[in-house]
């Protein structure tokens, strides 16, 4: 069983940047897709960015060109670099992955973008 822990959230002004980190207790991201999700108040959780073990990345349209997902060489940490932040990017950001049919989630980190 793997545990995930996000960090790096905070309060930032519109146009600013943040880098989120997701640390896993093993090198799961070397073999399974890493995902970043966010949940805004009153809304459903949405998939924001994904990175396959081979390096293929995908993004929801609203963050393309502003967010970048990456992984470190230990395969245990993924990042979400967020730039040109907008108030609509506000929410709790979660990383997630799955292995052998089991989904794993972190506890989330709050990102608040002020206008």
């Amino acid at each position: 069983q793997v545990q995930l822990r996000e960090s790096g959230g905070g309060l930032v002004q519109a146009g600013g940047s943040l880098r989120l980190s997701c640390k896993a207790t093993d090198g799961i991201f070397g073999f399974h897709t890493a995902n970043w999700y966010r949940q805004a108040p009153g809304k459903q959780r949405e998939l924001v960015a994904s990175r396959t073990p081979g390096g293929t990345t995908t993004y929801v349209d609203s963050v393309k060109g502003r967010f970048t997902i990456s992984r470190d060489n230990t395969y245990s940490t993924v990042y979400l670099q967020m730039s040109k932040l907008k108030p609509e990017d506000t929410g709790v950001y979660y990383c997630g992955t799955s292995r052998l049919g089991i989904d794993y989630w972190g506890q989330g980190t709050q990102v608040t973008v002020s206008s």
Side-chain angles (χ1 to χ4, degrees):
Q1 189 171 4
V2 66
Q3 295 182 345
L4 307 177
R5 180 176 294 273
E6 303 94 337
S7 61
L11 173 64
V12 64
Q13 289 188 334
S17 299
L18 283 174
R19 188 177 81 154
L20 306 183
S21 299
C22 173
K23 174 71 174 175
T25 51
D26 65 28
I28 191 170
F29 299 127
F31 304 96
H32 300 278
T33 296
N35 302 300
W36 280 100
Y37 298 81
R38 69 183 175 195
Q39 187 164 19
K43 295 187 177 181
Q44 290 188 334
R45 190 174 298 188
E46 69 169 341
L47 179 61
V48 173
S50 295
R51 186 191 186 283
T52 69
T56 300
T57 57
T58 57
Y59 301 91
V60 69
D61 285 346
S62 60
V63 308
K64 285 180 180 177
R66 301 189 298 119
F67 290 12
T68 302
I69 185 171
S70 62
R71 184 197 68 193
D72 76 345
N73 291 333
T74 70
Y75 303 158
S76 64
T77 303
V78 292
Y79 304 97
L80 187 67
Q81 178 67 48
M82 307 185 295
S83 61
K84 301 177 183 179
L85 283 161
K86 303 175 181 180
E88 51 263 43
D89 294 319
T90 293
V92 180
Y93 284 70
Y94 301 88
C95 69
T97 190
S98 63
R99 180 166 64 191
L100 299 178
I102 299 173
D103 294 331
Y104 297 99
W105 298 91
Q107 83 290 347
T109 186
Q110 175 71 44
V111 171
T112 303
V113 184
S114 63
S115 57

